[in-house]
Amino acid sequence: MTAFQGTTPPIRLDSSVQLMLGKHLLTCLPHEACGLLLGTAAAGGILISSYVPLSNVAPDPLHTFVPDPGEWVKAMYSDPAPIGLFHSHPASLPWPSQADMQGLQALGPEFKVYLIGSPGTGNALPLLNGFIISRGIGPDGKPAAQLLHTELQALLK
């Protein structure tokens, strides 16, 4: 796998997106929430300007997510274009699971951001971690992807 060149760019979230992610995560409990992140990527970082919540149609929504196919196709034609994926871990910290890592190959090259959220404990706010999807060639010579943890910045209006 080729390494990411330089430092990972920050992910900037419009303040309304940050609120939408938290609200969607909390209203889906105890199930996993999922949705598409819309925005733009540039040399200075990635801006997430909108969020499209999707229904989770997984057979076991307590532990996995499968976006509704009809909603997924419709959202893929949004403007601005989808640039990333969000989902939640209702009962664990917002770090990639083995299933998350295995699913990366299914995402097309337009997906550059991967956000994972989880509910805070007690009266705490939901937790959110951001990752840049880095693609390259694995040791076996096949395409591979990894998640690089990066800084999240909330933009105030």
Side-chain angles (χ1 to χ4, degrees), residues 27 38 46 61-62 83 92 99 138 149 156:
T27 58
L38 311 181
I46 295 170
L62 294 172
I83 195 168
S92 64
H149 188 245
L156 303 175

Side-chain angles (χ1 to χ4, degrees), residues 46-149:
I46 295 170
L47 173 62
I48 305 301
S49 56
S50 188
Y51 173 65
V52 178
L54 302 175
S55 300
N56 181 356
V57 296
D60 181 13
L62 294 172
H63 303 103
T64 59
F65 73 96
V66 174
D68 178 276
E71 293 175 7
W72 177 273
V73 169
K74 182 179 177 185
M76 288 300 292
Y77 292 98
S78 299
D79 186 29
I83 195 168
L85 180 71
F86 165 78
H87 80 281
S88 65
H89 290 176
S92 64
L93 294 174
W95 289 97
S97 66
Q98 188 63 32
D100 294 339
M101 298 306 295
Q102 291 170 347
L104 281 179
Q105 283 304 111
L107 295 175
E110 66 275 12
F111 285 85
K112 301 186 181 347
V113 174
Y114 199 90
L115 298 184
I116 304 173
S118 66
T121 56
N123 292 331
L125 296 172
L127 305 172
L128 187 62
N129 271 323
F131 303 87
I132 300 295
I133 302 171
S134 176
R135 291 181 172 77
I137 302 298
D140 58 1
K142 296 180 181 177
Q146 64 180 358
L147 294 176
L148 304 175
H149 188 245

